[in-house]
């Protein structure tokens, strides 16, 4: 079953000040959605809420949450539901790129990166999934990464967290399908955002606006997995197929 309707929806965005989440929220506002944003930066959230209202959002509000404060997750979701009434879409978009070299030198840094990019997502989704299941409808969309498709020396700590999330989402999709809840795994490639500002850019890079367009289209169509831009599906298929005896000699 697919839903190509652009009718106004009630949407929760966690990690709302990330570049991709902002671009998605602006597109939803133009459709007249009712948006509730969650993040850590009150000033940026307030400015974004004001912007969304001018773009046509039926309503927009925000709440504060540090995703690594697991004890606050339930309260944040309670506040979102009190504001929205129901959840048509929940987009989980938070994360940090982290420094691979620092993680190699520090157990603490490794675990911090995995906590933010993996465990905090799993914790939120566990609570969110139960609420969606009770509701009997809705879409959970989570921004992961192509980095989770295969461990590479350049970012395997970050990739480990994203692989954890991808596997969790597979199981969640299987579990929630009979209950009318869709689960979308989003796997962007290189995206030109403030988080990647220090990296050199090339032809494989995409803008947050292009990625957001793909995300909304995938949600509308009830997709399960989205590689964005689409050519990353074929790039990662090739990378996954390289034999380990060859792959371990490569510098990727």
């Amino acid at each position: 079953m697919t839903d190509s309707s652009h009718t106004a929806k009630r949407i929760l965005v966690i990690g709302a000040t990330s570049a991709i989440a902002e671009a998605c929220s602006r597109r939803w506002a133009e459709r007249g959605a009712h948006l509730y944003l969650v993040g850590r930066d009150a000033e940026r959230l307030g400015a974004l809420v004001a912007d969304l209202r001018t773009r046509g959002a039926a309503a927009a509000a925000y709440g504060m949450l540090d995703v690594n404060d697991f004890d606050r997750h339930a309260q944040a979701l309670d506040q979102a539901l009190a504001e929205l009434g129901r959840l048509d879409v929940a987009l989980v978009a938070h994360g940090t790129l982290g420094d691979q070299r620092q993680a190699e030198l520090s157990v603490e840094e490794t675990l911090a990166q995995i906590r933010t990019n993996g465990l905090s997502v799993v914790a939120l989704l566990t609570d969110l999934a139960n609420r969606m299941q009770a509701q009997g409808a809705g879409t959970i969309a989570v921004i992961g990464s192509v980095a989770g498709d295969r461990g590479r020396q350049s970012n395997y700590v970050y990739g480990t967290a994203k692989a954890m999330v991808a596997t969790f989402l597979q199981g969640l999709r299987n579990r929630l399908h009979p209950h009318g809840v869709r689960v979308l795994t989003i796997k962007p490639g290189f995206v030109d955002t403030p988080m990647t500002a220090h990296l050199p850019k090339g032809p494989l890079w995409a803008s947050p606006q292009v990625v957001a367009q793909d995300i909304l289209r995938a949600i509308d169509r009830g997709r399960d997995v989205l590689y964005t831009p689409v050519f990353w599906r074929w790039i990662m298929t090739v990378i996954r197929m390289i034999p380990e005896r060859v792959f371990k000699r490569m510098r990727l």
Side-chain angles (χ1 to χ4, degrees), residues 97-105 113 147 150-160 239 244 246-252:
L97 188 55
D99 186 299
Q100 171 65 32
R101 181 56 180 159
Q102 286 185 21
E104 291 170 13
L105 298 173
Q113 290 186 31
R150 189 162 192 179
R152 294 174 291 125
Q153 63 174 307
S154 60
N155 66 353
Y156 65 80
V157 174
Y158 177 77
T160 294
I239 288 176
E244 196 69 17
V246 175
F247 193 76
K248 68 184 179 183
R249 294 181 171 88
M250 300 175 71
R251 298 189 62 81
L252 291 175

Coordinates of all heavy atoms in Angstrom, one line a residue, residues 97-105 113 147 150-160 239 244 246-252:
L97 N 29.3 13.1 13.1 CA 30.2 12.4 12.2 C 31.3 11.8 13.1 O 31.8 10.6 12.9 CB 30.8 13.3 11.1 CG 31.6 12.6 10.1 CD1 30.9 11.4 9.4 CD2 32.1 13.6 9.0
G98 N 31.8 12.5 14.1 CA 32.9 12.0 14.9 C 34.2 11.9 14.2 O 34.3 12.1 13.0
D99 N 35.3 11.8 15.0 CA 36.6 11.7 14.5 C 37.1 10.2 14.6 O 37.3 9.7 15.7 CB 37.5 12.6 15.3 CG 38.9 12.7 14.7 OD1 39.6 11.7 14.7 OD2 39.3 13.8 14.3
Q100 N 37.3 9.6 13.5 CA 37.7 8.2 13.5 C 39.1 8.0 14.2 O 39.2 7.1 15.0 CB 37.8 7.7 12.1 CG 38.4 6.3 11.9 CD 37.6 5.2 12.5 OE1 36.4 5.2 12.6 NE2 38.3 4.1 13.0
R101 N 40.0 8.9 14.0 CA 41.3 8.7 14.6 C 41.2 8.8 16.1 O 41.9 8.1 16.8 CB 42.3 9.7 14.0 CG 43.7 9.7 14.5 CD 44.3 8.3 14.3 NE 45.7 8.2 14.9 CZ 46.3 7.1 15.2 NH1 45.7 5.9 15.1 NH2 47.5 7.1 15.7
Q102 N 40.5 9.8 16.6 CA 40.3 10.0 18.0 C 39.7 8.7 18.6 O 40.0 8.3 19.7 CB 39.4 11.2 18.3 CG 40.2 12.5 18.1 CD 39.3 13.7 18.5 OE1 38.4 13.6 19.3 NE2 39.6 14.9 18.0
A103 N 38.7 8.2 17.9 CA 38.0 7.0 18.4 C 39.0 5.8 18.5 O 39.0 5.0 19.4 CB 36.9 6.6 17.5
E104 N 39.9 5.7 17.5 CA 40.9 4.6 17.6 C 41.8 4.7 18.8 O 42.3 3.7 19.3 CB 41.8 4.7 16.3 CG 41.0 4.3 15.0 CD 41.8 4.6 13.8 OE1 43.0 4.9 13.9 OE2 41.2 4.6 12.7
L105 N 42.0 5.9 19.3 CA 42.9 6.1 20.4 C 42.2 6.1 21.7 O 42.9 6.2 22.8 CB 43.7 7.5 20.2 CG 44.6 7.6 19.0 CD1 45.1 9.0 18.8 CD2 45.7 6.6 19.0
Q113 N 30.7 8.0 20.4 CA 30.2 8.0 19.1 C 29.1 7.0 18.8 O 28.1 7.3 18.2 CB 31.3 7.8 18.1 CG 32.3 9.0 18.0 CD 33.3 8.9 16.9 OE1 33.1 8.3 15.9 NE2 34.5 9.4 17.1
A147 N 27.5 4.4 5.2 CA 28.7 3.9 5.9 C 28.4 2.7 6.7 O 29.3 1.9 7.1 CB 29.2 5.0 6.9
R150 N 29.3 -1.3 5.0 CA 30.5 -2.1 5.2 C 31.5 -1.3 6.0 O 31.7 -0.1 5.8 CB 31.1 -2.5 3.8 CG 32.2 -3.5 3.9 CD 32.5 -4.2 2.6 NE 33.4 -5.3 2.8 CZ 33.9 -6.2 1.9 NH1 33.5 -6.0 0.6 NH2 34.7 -7.2 2.2
G151 N 32.2 -2.0 6.9 CA 33.2 -1.4 7.7 C 34.4 -1.0 6.9 O 35.0 -1.9 6.2
R152 N 34.8 0.3 6.9 CA 35.9 0.8 6.2 C 36.9 1.5 7.2 O 36.4 2.2 8.1 CB 35.5 1.7 5.1 CG 34.7 1.0 4.0 CD 34.2 2.0 3.0 NE 33.1 2.9 3.5 CZ 33.2 4.2 3.5 NH1 34.2 4.8 3.0 NH2 32.2 4.9 4.0
Q153 N 38.2 1.4 7.0 CA 39.1 2.0 7.9 C 38.9 3.5 8.2 O 39.2 4.0 9.2 CB 40.5 1.7 7.4 CG 40.9 2.4 6.1 CD 42.4 2.2 5.8 OE1 43.3 2.5 6.6 NE2 42.7 1.7 4.6
S154 N 38.4 4.2 7.2 CA 38.2 5.6 7.3 C 37.1 6.1 8.3 O 37.1 7.2 8.8 CB 38.0 6.3 6.0 OG 36.8 5.7 5.4
N155 N 36.1 5.2 8.5 CA 35.0 5.6 9.4 C 34.2 4.4 10.0 O 33.0 4.5 10.1 CB 34.0 6.5 8.6 CG 33.3 5.7 7.5 OD1 33.6 4.6 7.2 ND2 32.3 6.4 6.9
Y156 N 35.0 3.4 10.4 CA 34.3 2.2 10.9 C 33.5 2.3 12.2 O 32.6 1.6 12.5 CB 35.2 1.0 10.9 CG 36.3 1.0 11.9 CD1 36.2 0.7 13.2 CD2 37.6 1.3 11.4 CE1 37.3 0.7 14.1 CE2 38.7 1.3 12.3 CZ 38.5 1.0 13.6 OH 39.6 1.1 14.5
V157 N 33.9 3.3 13.1 CA 33.2 3.5 14.3 C 31.8 4.1 14.0 O 30.8 3.6 14.5 CB 34.0 4.4 15.3 CG1 33.2 4.7 16.5 CG2 35.3 3.7 15.7
Y158 N 31.8 5.2 13.2 CA 30.6 5.7 12.8 C 29.8 4.7 12.0 O 28.5 4.6 12.2 CB 30.9 6.9 11.8 CG 29.7 7.6 11.2 CD1 28.9 8.5 11.9 CD2 29.5 7.4 9.8 CE1 27.9 9.2 11.3 CE2 28.4 8.1 9.2 CZ 27.6 8.9 10.0 OH 26.6 9.6 9.4
G159 N 30.4 3.9 11.1 CA 29.7 2.9 10.3 C 29.1 1.8 11.2 O 28.0 1.3 10.9
T160 N 29.8 1.5 12.3 CA 29.3 0.5 13.2 C 27.9 0.9 13.8 O 27.0 0.1 13.9 CB 30.3 0.2 14.3 OG1 31.5 -0.4 13.7 CG2 29.7 -0.7 15.4
I239 N 30.7 -2.3 -3.5 CA 31.6 -2.3 -2.3 C 31.4 -3.5 -1.4 O 32.3 -4.2 -0.9 CB 31.5 -1.0 -1.5 CG1 32.2 0.2 -2.3 CG2 32.1 -1.1 -0.1 CD1 32.0 1.5 -1.6
E244 N 36.8 -10.1 1.0 CA 37.5 -9.6 2.1 C 39.0 -9.6 1.9 O 39.7 -8.7 2.4 CB 37.1 -10.3 3.4 CG 37.5 -9.7 4.7 CD 36.6 -8.4 5.0 OE1 35.6 -8.2 4.3 OE2 37.1 -7.6 5.8
V246 N 40.6 -9.0 -0.6 CA 41.0 -7.9 -1.5 C 40.7 -6.6 -0.7 O 41.5 -5.6 -0.7 CB 40.2 -7.9 -2.8 CG1 40.5 -6.6 -3.6 CG2 40.6 -9.1 -3.6
F247 N 39.5 -6.6 -0.1 CA 39.0 -5.3 0.6 C 40.0 -4.9 1.7 O 40.2 -3.7 1.9 CB 37.6 -5.6 1.2 CG 36.9 -4.4 1.6 CD1 36.3 -3.5 0.7 CD2 36.8 -4.0 2.9 CE1 35.7 -2.4 1.1 CE2 36.2 -2.9 3.3 CZ 35.6 -2.0 2.4
K248 N 40.6 -5.8 2.4 CA 41.4 -5.4 3.5 C 42.7 -4.7 3.1 O 43.4 -4.1 3.9 CB 41.8 -6.7 4.4 CG 42.7 -7.7 3.7 CD 42.9 -8.9 4.6 CE 43.7 -10.0 3.9 NZ 43.9 -11.2 4.8
R249 N 43.0 -4.8 1.8 CA 44.2 -4.2 1.3 C 43.9 -2.8 0.7 O 44.8 -2.0 0.3 CB 44.9 -5.0 0.2 CG 45.4 -6.3 0.7 CD 46.1 -7.1 -0.4 NE 46.8 -8.3 0.1 CZ 46.3 -9.5 0.3 NH1 45.0 -9.7 0.0 NH2 47.1 -10.5 0.8
M250 N 42.6 -2.5 0.6 CA 42.2 -1.2 0.0 C 42.1 -0.1 1.1 O 42.0 -0.4 2.3 CB 40.8 -1.4 -0.6 CG 40.8 -2.4 -1.7 SD 39.1 -2.7 -2.4 CE 38.8 -1.2 -3.3
R251 N 42.3 1.1 0.6 CA 42.3 2.3 1.5 C 41.0 3.1 1.2 O 41.0 4.0 0.4 CB 43.5 3.1 1.3 CG 44.8 2.4 1.6 CD 46.0 3.3 1.7 NE 45.9 4.4 2.7 CZ 46.2 4.2 4.0 NH1 46.6 3.0 4.4 NH2 46.1 5.2 4.8
L252 N 39.9 2.6 1.9 CA 38.6 3.3 1.7 C 38.1 3.9 3.0 O 38.5 3.4 4.0 CB 37.6 2.3 1.2 CG 37.8 1.7 -0.2 CD1 36.8 0.6 -0.5 CD2 37.7 2.8 -1.3

